Amino acid sequence: MAKTPGQSIKAKAAPVLLSGGNPQIAKGDGDAPVQAYIAAMPGWKRDLGERLDALIQRSVPDVRKAVRWNSPFYGIEGQGWFVTFHVFTHYVKVTFFSGMSLRPIPPGGTAKSKDVRWIDIREDDQFDEARMADWVKQAAALPGWVP
């Protein structure tokens, strides 16, 4: 690519991946930082991130999006956050803040995690979109987490 006088060429910096491959994305509100996070997800996880984002948007058309703590968050204005996901080395963790109120209850959780429940999705897992959409709709109807 030739440059004209007075014009600089800047290489687009590759996103920084934290331990486990989670993208480091600046805190921000709206779809743009969430899409930046998804675009930076490594390998097969990017496709899963795109599928999760589209599923959440379809299931909850008035969803509010943001990136907090290097993870995309989804919520309802005035009600708090209901779901987030995060990249780990071998899986993507989808966390429901009021997970104990969902039916069926997502499989991940401990006594220490209180109401929070999650599902870890690995590369070779069957992704049950119908179940996930049902959980997302249920979670969006509940009071969310307000930090």
Side-chain angles (χ1 to χ4, degrees), residues 10 38 89 101 113 139 146:
K10 291 185 180 180
I38 293 167
T89 303
S101 297
S113 62
V146 180

Side-chain angles (χ1 to χ4, degrees), residues 38-128:
I38 293 167
M41 292 172 75
W44 64 270
K45 297 167 191 155
R46 181 176 306 126
D47 178 59
L48 178 60
E50 290 170 351
R51 291 174 68 188
L52 286 167
D53 182 69
L55 181 148
I56 294 166
Q57 184 69 52
R58 274 193 317 272
S59 301
V60 187
D62 58 342
V63 72
R64 176 178 168 222
K65 298 181 185 184
V67 169
R68 301 287 190 271
W69 303 283
N70 297 306
S71 295
F73 279 67
Y74 298 82
I76 301 293
E77 188 69 39
Q79 292 182 347
W81 306 112
F82 61 87
V83 69
T84 184
F85 56 90
H86 191 88
V87 170
F88 289 89
T89 303
H90 300 291
Y91 60 93
V92 174
K93 176 178 277 192
V94 181
T95 302
F96 295 95
F97 295 108
S98 295
M100 284 297 292
S101 297
L102 305 181
R103 296 295 177 258
I105 297 171
T110 66
K112 191 174 181 180
S113 62
K114 301 188 179 177
D115 199 35
V116 176
R117 291 297 177 267
W118 57 85
I119 182 167
D120 297 338
I121 304 172
R122 290 172 171 73
E123 183 174 14
D124 295 327
D125 288 349
Q126 290 289 348
F127 180 58
D128 188 340

